Amino acid sequence: MPMYQPSSRRRDGGDGKFDADGGGQVLDLKTAVKDGILGGDGAFFGGGVAEKLDLKKMIAELEAIDVPSVFICPISLEPMQDPVTLCTGQTYERSNILRWFSLGHCTCPTTMQELWEGSVTPNTTLHQLIYSWFSQKYLAMKKRSEDVQGRALELLETLKKVKGQARVQALKDLRQVVVAHDSAKKTVADNNGISLVSSLLGHFTSHAVGSEVIGILVNLDLDSQSKANLMQPAKVSLMVDMLNEGSIETKINCTKLIETLMTGKDFGSEIISSLSLLVGLLRLVKDKRHPNGVFAGLSLLKSVCSYESVRVSVVSIGAVPQVVELLPSFNNECLELSLYVLEVLSTLPEGRMALKDCRNTIPNVVRLMMKVSESCTQFALSILWAVCKLSPVECASLAVEAGLAAKLLLVIQSGCNPAMKQRSAELLKLCSVNYTATIFISKCKLTRTIQ
């Protein structure tokens, strides 16, 4: 039988000792924790805690932290709760190694060495170390959480008393706490904080206060009553003002908050029919310096266009040609949103005319077919169909020159859904009506095989 060589990952022999660095120096686990080798200070080792904590619960709640590799089961790559050691010196989570044996294996999973003795030995020292380490981290996390909750309550009380710059500072502090800690979000919601913060929005609210209030609200889960409260005309008017005049961060937060309000059951289209809101939204979409703002603006614009009564207003502010010109600069996420918006607006006579009158509609949209996603191709087909049907002689020729026919053939030969293939065939036929077969093939640069 070959001599057993410890793995580089784990050198725990089940006796409370492990090789810390692979150089042959065997350390006691208590010493390892005391000296900080495993990232702890040893404060909980062997001493217990005031109340018995559940290890499984602690592991679940501390999921995001880095765990010392010696605590990790090599099979599941998860922290061990009931570590057991094999005769090879390798340690595993009990349930995982027993499952390994139940599959008929008689080897050590890490070394693949045959086992000369099939029993498993509870590694009580490692178990105690794991429990102590997680207890320390868990109690520290709970203390931080309690401190955060206390701070959030303190700031809510402060907001009831202060005005002016002191109010702005209190809101800044509360915003930082809410953004950084989920427990603070819950504390604010559970202590009427949403209503308190929302009450600071109104006709006479300064932009300094308003931007901080919206920065807080956009990070909270708003119930239906909170959304209804924020739909008051004075509050919506302030959001629109800040969408037009605030910092880029404030503009993005305004769009996110308005989009959240649109999910409320009492939301009415009159809230988003303001031309000032639509103009501010389009200005945000056009600001290429801030990709996050472009995406947020397009996302809200998509939601706005779901209301038929608002679509004419969107067309009237010149949204169609401006979005068309921006298509080459958008990333894939933004292309999905922008093509959806253009496709929806193409259902209006005014929208179709605006698309036709924009000289880059056909080349920009054709270029995106079969390039981004199937949904983008579907939106592009609908847009091109609407434009070419409106003016077959003029637009079909432009589409052929832009390479539409070859793209349509790709769609027809692809695995796209039947409706897209049918629309592609109809559009291809529409494009060919002004040409003889020979000229059409030549214009499309098609091969004899395709003919």
Side-chain angles (χ1 to χ4, degrees), residues 108-135:
C108 174
T110 300
T111 66
M112 296 311 294
Q113 186 178 8
E114 287 191 14
L115 301 175
W116 58 88
E117 203 271 315
S119 63
V120 297
T121 303
N123 193 328
T124 53
T125 305
L126 182 58
H127 178 272
Q128 188 177 20
L129 179 60
I130 292 172
Y131 182 85
S132 299
W133 189 88
F134 273 101
S135 296

Side-chain angles (χ1 to χ4, degrees), residues 224-393:
S224 57
Q225 183 177 351
S226 299
K227 291 176 184 177
N229 180 39
L230 287 167
M231 290 179 204
Q232 296 175 25
K235 299 182 189 299
V236 173
S237 177
L238 180 64
M239 291 180 213
V240 172
D241 286 346
M242 290 191 293
L243 175 60
N244 280 280
E245 301 173 15
S247 66
I248 184 62
E249 184 183 15
T250 298
K251 291 178 180 180
I252 292 173
N253 286 337
C254 285
T255 62
K256 291 180 178 179
L257 185 56
I258 293 171
E259 191 165 10
T260 298
L261 297 183
M262 291 179 71
T263 63
K265 61 180 180 179
D266 298 323
F267 185 83
S269 61
E270 66 278 359
I271 294 176
I272 52 170
S273 59
S274 159
L275 288 179
S276 180
L277 184 150
L278 298 176
V279 168
L281 198 53
L282 192 56
R283 189 179 294 126
L284 182 61
V285 168
K286 292 165 58 181
D287 191 346
K288 300 178 185 178
R289 298 170 300 169
H290 305 288
N292 290 343
V294 174
F295 179 80
L298 284 170
S299 181
L300 180 54
L301 189 59
K302 175 184 175 181
S303 300
V304 166
C305 287
S306 65
Y307 290 82
E308 292 185 23
S309 57
V310 186
R311 292 174 190 171
V312 173
S313 297
V314 175
V315 174
S316 72
I317 63 171
V320 169
Q322 294 184 63
V323 172
V324 166
E325 297 298 333
L326 289 168
L327 287 176
S329 67
F330 287 155
N331 61 29
N332 287 357
E333 282 185 315
C334 291
L335 283 172
E336 292 264 1
L337 296 170
S338 56
L339 287 175
Y340 173 90
V341 168
L342 292 175
E343 192 267 343
V344 168
L345 297 180
S346 73
T347 61
L348 300 175
E350 299 90 341
R352 289 192 291 274
M353 185 60 67
L355 285 165
K356 172 187 170 298
D357 291 342
C358 179
R359 62 187 182 87
N360 284 324
T361 294
I362 291 175
N364 284 356
V365 175
V366 168
R367 197 174 295 119
L368 297 174
M369 288 183 61
M370 299 297 289
K371 188 175 181 180
V372 181
S373 66
E374 183 171 325
S375 58
C376 275
T377 298
Q378 189 164 359
F379 296 145
L381 276 172
S382 296
I383 294 166
L384 292 168
W385 175 258
V387 173
C388 291
K389 281 288 287 183
L390 182 64
S391 180
V393 175

Side-chain angles (χ1 to χ4, degrees), residues 65 78 87 126 369 399:
I65 69 170
E78 297 291 337
C87 58
L126 182 58
M369 288 183 61

Side-chain angles (χ1 to χ4, degrees), residues 25 27-43:
Q25 179 187 11
L27 299 177
D28 183 83
L29 284 175
K30 296 181 181 180
T31 305
V33 149
K34 182 179 178 182
D35 294 344
I37 293 173
L38 295 179
D41 58 10

Side-chain angles (χ1 to χ4, degrees), residues 366 369 377 380-389 395-396 399-400 404-405 408 412 420-433 440:
V366 168
M369 288 183 61
T377 298
L381 276 172
S382 296
I383 294 166
L384 292 168
W385 175 258
V387 173
C388 291
K389 281 288 287 183
C395 295
V400 170
L404 176 60
L408 293 174
I412 292 170
M420 285 178 62
K421 292 184 178 184
Q422 179 63 31
R423 176 50 54 89
S424 297
E426 293 170 352
L427 190 51
L428 187 63
K429 183 177 179 181
L430 183 65
C431 289
S432 67
V433 294
F440 185 63

